[in-house]
Amino acid sequence: MRSRLAIPALVALLILAFLASLAFGELRLSFGQVIGALTGGGDHIARTVVRDFRLPRAVVGMAVGAALGASGVVMQAFFRNPLANPGLLGVSSGGALGAVAVLGLGPLFGTGLGLATATMWALPLASVAGAFAATGAVLMIAQRGAGTERLLLSGVALNALLGAGTSFLLTATAGHFEVNAQILFWLMGGLESRSWEHVWMGVPAIVIGCLLLLPLGRAMDLLSLGEQSAQSLGVDVRRLRHQLIVLSTVLTALATAVAGIVGFVGLVVPHVLRLIFGPGHRRLLPYSMLGGAAFLLACDLITRAFPLGLRLGVVTALIGGPFFLWLLRRPR
């Protein structure tokens, strides 16, 4: 019964969060005004605010939430551990270092604000490149037949190394206040000033990555039984592991590229939905995509309501941190 109601309930929750995202802001709009603006009616100001500013922000938010939710399911299936998250293998840290390098290296060499001012594509491309470079080391280990334990340990070490590089660049640009502020705001994640360029930059690829993940749900169910059991049931475990790592990296890298560092979405959403609807990955994958999109829009609404400019990554951490501690205290 719960499974039958899951998709309608999650879709309704996502629609509600989407409409609220378009209505709430410095200029408050009613749901009627929002729907009118989306359909071409209403006054000119409402249409401009909704179509040019809030709609691309909401679309990017939904895509980022879906990508992180799906990546969380993949990592938890890969490591057979419900506490795993998309940043475990250094993807987010690699993306952060790539973006910070673009923002910070220009001023260090006396070339102004760096490549990030030359084109809006420079920062996301550097973020994606950094994420793939970080995961490349993990893939090399996987090709040599390493188990998930060694992959996990290498990811922890890589996260520490990449974090040190990011901290070094942040410290080195301390005298360049504008650049330093850009780096800090990007590291804390956010959907402010998202435009249609950001939508085309990341959303189509995120949609493709999510669609490629859906057929792997049954194989992920078998993988949860153990690698030997999955192999005996006809799953090419080596190929499946590579597919999961690559798709998770793509989704997390793209999410980081267009929204900065946004943590805990891939931990909180899949785990809550698993507790409610069960562990089957064929259902959990689409549920987590819908739930992740709605969750991120809700967190973004909280940032708009807070008067001190609370960042999106801070909100997700304030929710995810206590949730993680609660999970650790559970007997199972």
Side-chain angles (χ1 to χ4, degrees):
M1 185 64 179
R2 286 183 178 181
S3 298
R4 294 178 183 177
L5 297 176
I7 294 294
L10 289 171
V11 169
L13 186 63
L14 178 58
I15 292 174
L16 180 62
F18 175 71
L19 292 176
S21 180
L22 298 183
F24 189 81
E26 292 186 7
L27 175 64
R28 303 288 182 90
L29 302 174
S30 67
F31 282 178
Q33 288 177 300
V34 169
I35 294 174
L38 291 175
T39 56
D43 60 271
H44 175 70
I45 295 177
R47 286 199 305 271
T48 301
V49 169
V50 170
R51 292 185 174 187
D52 295 343
F53 297 99
R54 295 182 184 173
L55 184 56
R57 177 173 181 165
V59 172
V60 171
M62 288 191 296
V64 170
L68 295 176
S71 296
V73 175
V74 169
M75 286 293 97
Q76 291 166 15
F78 185 91
F79 288 105
R80 299 173 61 196
N81 189 326
L83 300 181
N85 65 81
L88 208 56
L89 299 181
V91 183
S92 298
S93 298
L97 182 59
V100 170
V102 167
L103 290 169
L105 289 181
L108 290 180
F109 290 100
T111 58
L113 294 178
L115 294 175
T117 58
T119 171
M120 67 176 299
W121 288 82
L123 190 146
L125 287 176
S127 177
V128 171
F132 275 96
T135 311
V138 177
L139 288 176
M140 290 177 62
I141 296 174
Q143 289 174 352
R144 295 178 181 178
T148 55
E149 295 81 4
R150 288 187 61 189
L151 290 176
L152 178 60
L153 292 175
S154 65
V156 171
L158 194 63
N159 271 311
L161 181 63
L162 295 171
T166 301
S167 299
F168 169 76
L169 289 175
L170 186 60
T171 304
T173 57
H176 302 269
F177 298 107
E178 184 177 351
V179 174
N180 207 249
Q182 290 181 21
I183 293 174
L184 284 174
F185 274 92
W186 193 88
L187 289 176
M188 290 186 286
L191 298 176
E192 293 84 357
S193 304
R194 299 302 91 177
S195 63
W196 287 111
E197 285 78 7
H198 293 95
V199 172
W200 303 124
M201 191 183 298
V203 174
I206 288 175
V207 171
I208 293 172
C210 289
L211 292 176
L212 290 175
L213 268 181
L214 291 176
L216 301 179
R218 180 179 178 277
M220 292 166 65
D221 285 335
L222 297 177
L223 184 63
S224 65
L225 302 175
E227 293 186 5
Q228 293 184 349
S229 299
Q231 193 78 45
S232 65
L233 292 172
V235 177
D236 187 342
V237 174
R238 182 184 179 87
R239 180 183 177 185
L240 176 63
R241 290 173 66 194
H242 288 176
Q243 288 176 323
L244 294 179
I245 290 179
V246 170
L247 288 174
S248 177
T249 300
V250 170
L251 292 175
T252 306
L254 291 170
T256 304
V258 296
I261 305 297
V262 181
F264 288 103
V265 177
L267 171 67
V268 173
V269 173
H271 201 92
V272 169
L273 294 175
R274 184 183 288 106
L275 292 175
I276 299 174
F277 301 112
H281 292 92
R282 281 179 290 184
R283 297 191 302 268
L284 192 58
L285 271 171
Y287 294 173
S288 295
M289 293 174 190
L290 293 171
F295 177 73
L296 202 72
L297 288 183
C299 291
D300 185 47
L301 284 171
I302 295 175
T303 66
R304 301 188 207 182
F306 203 81
L308 298 179
L310 194 63
R311 300 291 294 173
L312 181 61
V314 176
V315 174
T316 58
L318 289 174
I319 296 173
F323 182 80
F324 185 81
L325 294 175
W326 173 75
L327 290 179
L328 292 178
R329 289 182 58 86
R330 297 187 72 214
R332 294 176 60 187

